[in-house]
Amino acid sequence: MKKAILLIAITLAGFTYAVSLSLRDMATVPETLDAANHPGFYDYRGIINVQTTASQGYLPSLDVIRLAQEAKFDFIIFTELNHFLPGGTPEGYQRQLLTINGGKFSYLESRLLTLDPERLREAESLGQAQTIIADLLSRVGSHRRPISSPNASPTPKDTLALGQISREGTVWTGAYPSGLAGLEVLNLRQMLARSWRDTRLSA
């Protein structure tokens, strides 16, 4: 009899917990922050920093593209981690979805994202990539395209953005390198891992 009562109590507790989770608002960005479009501007929905089974991801690129199409995204940028093999995801429009091959590289305790990896495409190893990255980071305004005259074409660029820290407990300190063009503000994978570690009951 005591075992039956205990089993019923555990079942009711689990059911109550499941119902409470289903009532929670899981939105990352509150709807109150959604503003109307400014005249002359357009909203483009997409994802940056996506990995597939070619590096750290869980799905092949074709499955990722299919899911992005079903979500009605406008673009998706693949950034495979330390990927130096030739080929990769086809670039261009897949129906209404624009796919772009960027890159993601380990550098010190961080990860650097590049959305236009012109020079880094030549790297055949992580050592070569890190040498190129060190040079790019040391350049002042390397993310800008200087135009010497109205008829001059833009010079090639490698846009670098600081991604998430690769080692847990490590933080970036000091000034950011002059060659950085941006910072990754949110990383959902890192947020989920931190939530699972710190507040497992609410994850």
Side-chain angles (χ1 to χ4, degrees):
M1 185 66 178
K2 290 182 179 180
K3 289 183 179 179
I5 294 174
L6 181 61
L7 182 61
I8 292 172
I10 292 173
T11 304
L12 286 175
F15 180 75
T16 304
Y17 177 65
V19 170
S20 66
L21 283 182
S22 68
L23 297 176
R24 290 186 60 185
D25 183 11
M26 302 299 288
T28 304
V29 179
E31 293 183 3
T32 54
L33 295 180
D34 189 16
N37 284 351
H38 190 279
F41 289 83
Y42 300 92
D43 281 341
Y44 293 98
R45 299 174 65 241
I47 307 177
I48 300 174
N49 192 6
V50 177
Q51 286 90 53
T52 69
T53 50
S55 60
Q56 285 190 316
Y58 302 108
L59 292 173
S61 59
L62 293 180
D63 289 343
V64 174
I65 290 173
R66 177 180 53 79
L67 291 171
Q69 289 169 337
E70 291 175 359
K72 297 183 179 180
F73 288 153
D74 298 300
F75 68 90
I76 185 168
I77 301 178
F78 292 97
T79 53
E80 305 292 358
L81 178 64
N82 301 329
H83 187 71
F84 302 103
L85 298 175
T89 306
E91 289 191 295
Y93 277 97
Q94 317 287 329
R95 293 193 306 206
Q96 301 296 322
L97 177 73
L98 175 63
T99 60
I100 300 172
N101 283 330
K104 185 176 186 179
F105 300 92
S106 302
Y107 187 77
L108 302 178
E109 302 297 338
S110 303
R111 303 278 171 81
L112 288 172
L113 309 175
T114 174
L115 309 183
D116 186 13
E118 184 150 333
R119 280 186 62 190
L120 285 162
R121 289 188 197 279
E122 303 170 1
E124 298 178 353
S125 66
L126 183 57
Q128 289 182 3
Q130 290 177 340
T131 302
I132 295 172
I133 288 171
D135 179 52
L136 292 171
L137 288 178
S138 65
R139 296 186 178 191
V140 177
S142 64
H143 57 282
R144 298 184 179 89
R145 291 190 176 201
I147 300 177
S148 55
S149 66
N151 297 324
S153 59
T155 59
K157 72 180 190 312
D158 285 84
T159 303
L160 294 175
L162 180 62
Q164 82 273 22
I165 303 298
S166 60
R167 181 176 295 180
E168 192 63 39
T170 305
V171 294
W172 188 282
T173 59
Y176 293 110
S178 58
L180 274 182
L183 303 173
E184 183 181 46
V185 179
L186 292 176
N187 185 288
L188 294 180
R189 181 174 180 174
Q190 194 177 55
M191 290 167 60
L192 288 172
R194 188 180 299 116
S195 177
W196 176 254
R197 184 197 64 217
D198 298 337
T199 55
R200 197 166 291 188
L201 289 178
S202 63

